[in-house]
Amino acid sequence: MVFEDLIKNLKALIQEQKLVKVSLGNYKGTEANLKNIYIKPVLIKQELLLSFVFRYQTKDITKNFSIEQAIDEISSYVGFKGFRLVNLQTTSENLIYQMNKKAEWRVQKEKVVGREPQSYTHDKQKDRKLSDSTKSYLHELNLTGQEGKVYKNAQDKWKQINHYIELLSSSLSHLPENKNLKVVDMGAGKGYLTFALYDYLKNNLNRNVEVVGVEFRKDLVDFCNEVALKSDFNQLGFVEGTIEDYQSNEPIDVLIALHACDTATDDAIFKGIKDESSLIVVAPCCHKQVRRQLEEVKAKNDLEFMTKYGIFMERHAEMLTDSIRALILEYYGYETKVMQFISDQHTPKKCDDRRS
């Protein structure tokens, strides 16, 4: 009858939302390397489920079950040839059920003070730098609906934008104060990151800032300027041109060039160094120039296997090119950081450089 009481108590605790966690221990079953099972209630798509973490010696496996399925799962795992210890943790006590060598259950109660109720949210909500998704520019850029809900097919872009601002936030907070900042985003494209950067600097950091997006495709320039006008982003504008041709009428404080192809990255770095920019941010790609040179002068030595295959040659060219760039920035007094922006499948690595 004790086990039946356990199941009855478990159902009641779930129903009353008093259950914090269930721990199954003292495993005597035959499943190889299984150590424990930890169970907690979660709310997924408005449905209350129980999330199981199967703890093995070298891995964890997580599975979610409906309440009915979960009860069946617990019943199948608990017993003389299974888990002999069940700890029901509630907001006010622990109910500890133990089976002895005679297959007899005993229950012990422990009072608990100050335990927080279980959050039923499945995933902890990330503290994003751009927390307000209702802003009009996000809707105009086709990232959100009228009510500010991020479209399903725009979730990756929304995460990318926030990750970008997260990476830059520390460096942006160290920019010179008491001056109007000039920020130039080379190769702005449709302006997702340009708009987000302006929004963060202007509305989160309360900086006086002028942001310019440089893009060689006129249709995108016109589109972005229209969105900026509708959004009342008065100090954000887009101009048609290339990195090499763009001329600023005043020194650039922050220069950004994401996905600048081949030597365009070097053009951007040159402009930043020339203007003594406080922050230079580049995400290089298409390292063609150095690769061509390496292919022309392949050395015959013990290390030639490193460039024998095309993919290794490509990676070698990337490493060599970006290492030289980092050294050049250090030579000109920049504190250079090299990091991965997002997975290599989606976005090449990003080099975040700030003058010390």
Side-chain angles (χ1 to χ4, degrees):
M1 292 297 293
V2 176
F3 182 73
E4 285 74 10
D5 289 341
L6 187 160
I7 297 300
K8 182 179 178 181
N9 282 334
L10 178 60
K11 290 180 177 179
L13 291 170
I14 295 171
Q15 183 69 30
E16 297 167 9
Q17 295 192 1
K18 292 182 179 180
L19 181 67
V20 175
K21 185 178 181 180
V22 181
S23 299
L24 307 185
N26 192 17
Y27 184 60
K28 302 298 181 181
T30 58
E31 191 168 342
N33 298 318
L34 181 60
K35 301 297 183 182
N36 300 91
I37 298 178
Y38 301 108
I39 306 162
K40 67 176 183 178
V42 295
L43 194 64
I44 300 178
K45 295 182 179 180
Q46 306 304 311
E47 181 182 2
L48 183 61
L49 305 175
L50 288 183
S51 179
F52 284 55
V53 176
F54 295 82
R55 176 74 40 89
Y56 292 84
Q57 186 170 347
T58 58
K59 63 181 179 180
D60 289 350
I61 297 177
T62 301
K63 296 181 181 180
N64 299 322
F65 299 98
S66 68
I67 304 302
E68 184 177 345
Q69 291 172 331
I71 297 299
D72 291 341
E73 195 77 8
I74 292 171
S75 298
S76 69
Y77 271 100
V78 171
F80 190 74
K81 294 184 178 181
F83 288 99
R84 298 184 184 182
L85 172 66
V86 181
N87 184 359
L88 302 184
Q89 300 180 21
T90 77
T91 52
S92 60
E93 65 180 355
N94 293 331
L95 297 174
I96 304 171
Y97 294 83
Q98 297 186 73
M99 177 181 282
N100 61 25
K101 293 181 180 180
K102 296 180 181 180
E104 299 170 337
W105 284 101
R106 297 288 186 269
V107 60
Q108 177 184 352
K109 296 184 179 181
E110 297 177 347
K111 291 295 183 182
V112 175
V113 178
R115 176 177 285 165
E116 294 291 331
Q118 170 64 34
S119 171
Y120 280 29
T121 304
H122 181 54
D123 296 313
K124 183 179 179 181
Q125 297 297 311
K126 185 173 178 63
D127 182 19
R128 299 193 182 279
K129 296 297 181 181
L130 300 178
S131 57
D132 187 358
S133 61
T134 63
K135 295 191 175 182
S136 62
Y137 76 89
L138 296 171
H139 176 61
E140 294 292 339
L141 294 175
N142 204 33
L143 293 174
T144 64
Q146 289 281 6
E147 297 179 355
K149 184 177 181 179
V150 180
Y151 291 131
K152 185 176 181 179
N153 62 359
Q155 289 289 338
D156 286 344
K157 177 61 68 175
W158 176 242
K159 291 176 183 177
Q160 184 192 54
I161 292 170
N162 275 279
H163 185 49
Y164 164 75
I165 297 299
E166 179 71 32
L167 286 176
L168 290 184
S169 59
S170 176
S171 297
L172 293 173
S173 66
H174 288 91
L175 291 173
E177 298 181 359
N178 302 320
K179 66 169 295 188
N180 294 330
L181 295 175
K182 177 66 175 287
V183 179
V184 178
D185 186 1
M186 302 289 191
K190 196 175 178 180
Y192 296 110
L193 303 181
T194 321
F195 278 93
L197 181 60
Y198 177 87
D199 183 19
Y200 182 73
L201 284 167
K202 191 76 174 178
N203 298 313
N204 289 59
L205 299 185
N206 297 314
R207 297 302 305 266
N208 292 320
V209 60
E210 177 191 357
V211 176
V212 178
V214 180
E215 171 58 44
F216 71 91
R217 289 166 289 186
K218 185 178 186 301
D219 58 329
L220 292 182
V221 171
D222 293 340
F223 170 76
C224 289
N225 278 326
E226 183 179 347
V227 174
L229 183 64
K230 289 181 179 178
S231 305
D232 292 326
F233 285 179
N234 301 321
Q235 297 300 312
L236 170 62
F238 293 79
V239 297
E240 184 180 356
T242 64
I243 295 175
E244 186 178 7
D245 296 334
Y246 176 75
Q247 298 295 326
S248 176
N249 55 7
E250 55 189 353
I252 300 172
D253 297 296
V254 178
L255 187 144
I256 297 171
L258 305 185
H259 307 294
C261 248
D262 199 13
T263 56
T265 294
D266 302 293
D267 294 334
I269 291 174
F270 173 75
K271 283 186 180 294
I273 292 174
K274 184 179 178 181
D275 278 16
E276 297 186 344
S277 300
S278 298
L279 179 64
I280 301 173
V281 184
V282 294
C285 69
C286 309
H287 303 69
K288 295 178 181 178
Q289 186 188 58
V290 169
R291 178 172 179 172
R292 284 193 294 266
Q293 295 178 27
L294 289 173
E295 289 172 342
E296 290 173 2
V297 292
K298 282 187 177 180
K300 297 294 182 180
N301 55 45
D302 292 341
L303 296 178
E304 63 180 303
F305 70 91
M306 294 180 63
T307 56
K308 179 180 179 180
Y309 303 100
I311 189 170
F312 293 155
M313 173 67 81
E314 180 181 352
R315 292 175 182 174
H316 189 57
E318 289 181 8
M319 291 291 293
L320 180 58
T321 305
D322 292 338
S323 294
I324 292 172
R325 287 165 173 162
L327 290 173
I328 289 172
L329 284 161
E330 286 185 358
Y331 176 82
Y332 282 96
Y334 284 85
E335 177 188 334
T336 304
K337 301 176 185 176
V338 180
M339 65 189 75
Q340 182 170 294
F341 182 21
I342 293 183
S343 170
D344 289 337
Q345 299 177 35
H346 306 294
T347 306
K349 60 182 172 296
K350 173 178 151 297
C351 182
D352 177 2
D353 307 290
R354 177 166 59 84
R355 179 174 291 276
S356 56

